[in-house]
Amino acid sequence: MSAPIIHGGGITEAAAAFGGVPRDWLDLSTGVNPNPVSLPDIPVNAWHRLPDRHLVDGARAAAARYYRSGDVLPLPVPGTQSVIQLLPRLIKAGRRVAIFAPTYGEYARVLLAAGFAVDEITAPDDLTAEHGLAILVNPNNPTGQAHFPGEIIALARRMKANNGTLLVDEAFGDTQPDLSVAFSVAEHDNLIVFRSFGKFFGLAGLRLGFVIAGEPVLSAFREWLGPWSVSGPALVIAAALMNADTNAVQSAITERKTALEDVLLRAGLKIIGGTPLFTLVELEQAAHLHTHLCRAYILTRKFDYAPSWLRIGLAPDVAGDTRLADALRRADLA
């Protein structure tokens, strides 16, 4: 079995290693909106009954409008990680997988564990006829590298010529909707889009995502996940929030991102990438800084494959910005 991937989060483990209890910590290790939106009213029946069909239909219709997927109704799933686990079932045995890297590590881990040959690539020209699946995270995590729809559609056509599938993970797409190719799925039967719900709305604990794809793929995922895979309350919340005006959420994220970058630049850190929900910095003493911040009960995300990188998420408020700034001021980075 392959080794587990180190992800953001893990405040309990950090507190066990460095002290304090989870509530003492400022978690900047994830790319999740630090200010969760207010929850809508949830009917008692959503808790009491198994998820009724009308709840699923309502969430799918709301998702189609929100993601602009046209006539393709996105499939609600219990977090996109759940369908990443199912990817090996979609690929014909013997074909290779190409992953635009570096990126979210679960794709390679799952596919390698299933026995597939995985090639980490950096450009479309690295694709070959042997690749039955190509995976692109857009905008990318953790670098923030972005590809525009025209480039991605050209990539889907290239994969189609070799009977291959293109999977585009748009987990951070809510903050940059102009990058999405959800609108193109209806015209490209080899294109699959994954969307995360919890990052933008600050509700990662809801464990909800959506798959946008042709009906054969959606039917397969539906069968593999089994009945009632998404809870009734999650479906109610999704429909309500995706039908609502999200401009205030976007504005708040932009404000928090601006504040974060101001703190980092004032500390003399070099910003090399990111999305509106996190910033990637590079420095030779990244491991030292990560440990220093942990001693101040501030958790960031480090990377074993890029020891000079730190990913730093948004603080929830000015007090969090000040706490980070004070800790950075005390760091010895000479």
Side-chain angles (χ1 to χ4, degrees):
M1 183 177 294
S2 58
I5 301 294
I6 298 174
H7 296 292
I11 287 294
T12 301
E13 291 82 0
F18 291 94
V21 294
R23 66 174 176 271
D24 298 329
W25 282 70
L26 176 62
D27 186 4
L28 306 182
S29 67
T30 75
V32 176
N33 181 352
N35 295 302
V37 301
S38 298
L39 295 179
D41 291 334
I42 302 174
V44 172
N45 277 348
W47 298 101
H48 175 63
R49 297 172 56 87
L50 290 171
D52 283 323
R53 175 64 183 269
H54 74 278
L55 296 184
V56 177
D57 291 345
R60 296 188 74 184
R65 287 189 292 271
Y66 183 76
Y67 297 133
R68 304 172 189 173
S69 61
D71 293 334
V72 178
L73 298 179
L75 176 69
V77 298
T80 49
Q81 183 62 45
S82 69
V83 280
I84 290 175
Q85 302 295 135
L86 298 175
L87 283 179
R89 302 191 189 189
L90 282 181
I91 314 165
K92 185 177 180 181
R95 301 204 69 182
R96 303 181 72 87
V97 177
I99 301 177
F100 286 83
T103 196
Y104 183 59
E106 286 292 336
Y107 285 106
R109 185 192 69 82
V110 166
L111 290 159
L112 286 168
F116 285 90
V118 174
D119 300 312
E120 294 191 344
I121 66 172
T122 58
D125 286 345
D126 296 329
L127 290 170
T128 73
E130 295 182 67
H131 290 124
L133 175 68
I135 299 170
L136 174 70
V137 179
N138 190 52
N140 189 39
N141 172 23
T143 65
Q145 182 179 6
H147 298 267
F148 287 97
E151 304 171 65
I152 298 172
I153 298 309
L155 193 59
R157 289 178 177 141
R158 181 169 183 163
M159 291 298 296
K160 179 70 172 180
N162 292 313
N163 295 314
T165 298
L166 174 64
L167 167 61
V168 183
D169 182 332
E170 297 180 351
F172 292 95
D174 299 55
T175 55
Q176 296 173 269
D178 58 317
L179 299 180
S180 179
V181 291
F183 69 93
S184 295
V185 168
E187 299 175 359
H188 300 277
D189 61 4
N190 70 321
L191 178 61
I192 302 171
V193 175
F194 285 176
R195 296 294 299 238
S196 171
F197 181 83
K199 291 179 174 61
F200 178 76
F201 291 105
L203 299 172
L206 199 63
R207 304 313 306 135
L208 179 64
F210 288 87
V211 177
I212 307 170
E215 189 53 39
V217 172
L218 297 187
S219 294
F221 279 143
R222 193 182 296 114
E223 178 182 349
W224 296 334
L225 288 169
W228 316 301
S229 62
V230 176
S231 73
L235 295 168
V236 170
I237 291 168
L241 294 182
M242 289 190 293
N243 280 327
D245 186 344
T246 59
N247 287 330
V249 181
Q250 180 68 68
S251 295
I253 289 172
T254 299
E255 178 183 320
R256 295 281 76 235
K257 169 72 170 184
T258 300
L260 171 64
E261 294 206 337
D262 181 64
V263 169
L264 299 178
L265 291 172
R266 286 176 181 272
L269 294 176
K270 179 183 178 183
I271 295 173
I272 62 169
T275 72
L277 283 167
F278 62 81
T279 296
L280 186 67
V281 301
E282 183 177 46
L283 70 160
E284 185 177 344
Q285 310 95 323
H288 167 75
L289 180 57
H290 178 269
T291 300
H292 167 80
L293 291 174
C294 282
R295 289 177 178 142
Y297 297 171
I298 299 173
L299 186 60
T300 58
R301 169 74 160 91
K302 61 181 180 178
F303 299 89
D304 53 0
Y305 62 80
S308 62
W309 289 2
L310 279 184
R311 192 187 69 190
I312 305 175
L314 311 183
D317 49 33
V318 174
D321 299 332
T322 301
R323 183 173 169 183
L324 175 61
D326 289 345
L328 290 173
R329 196 175 300 115
R330 296 192 300 271
D332 180 11
L333 301 178

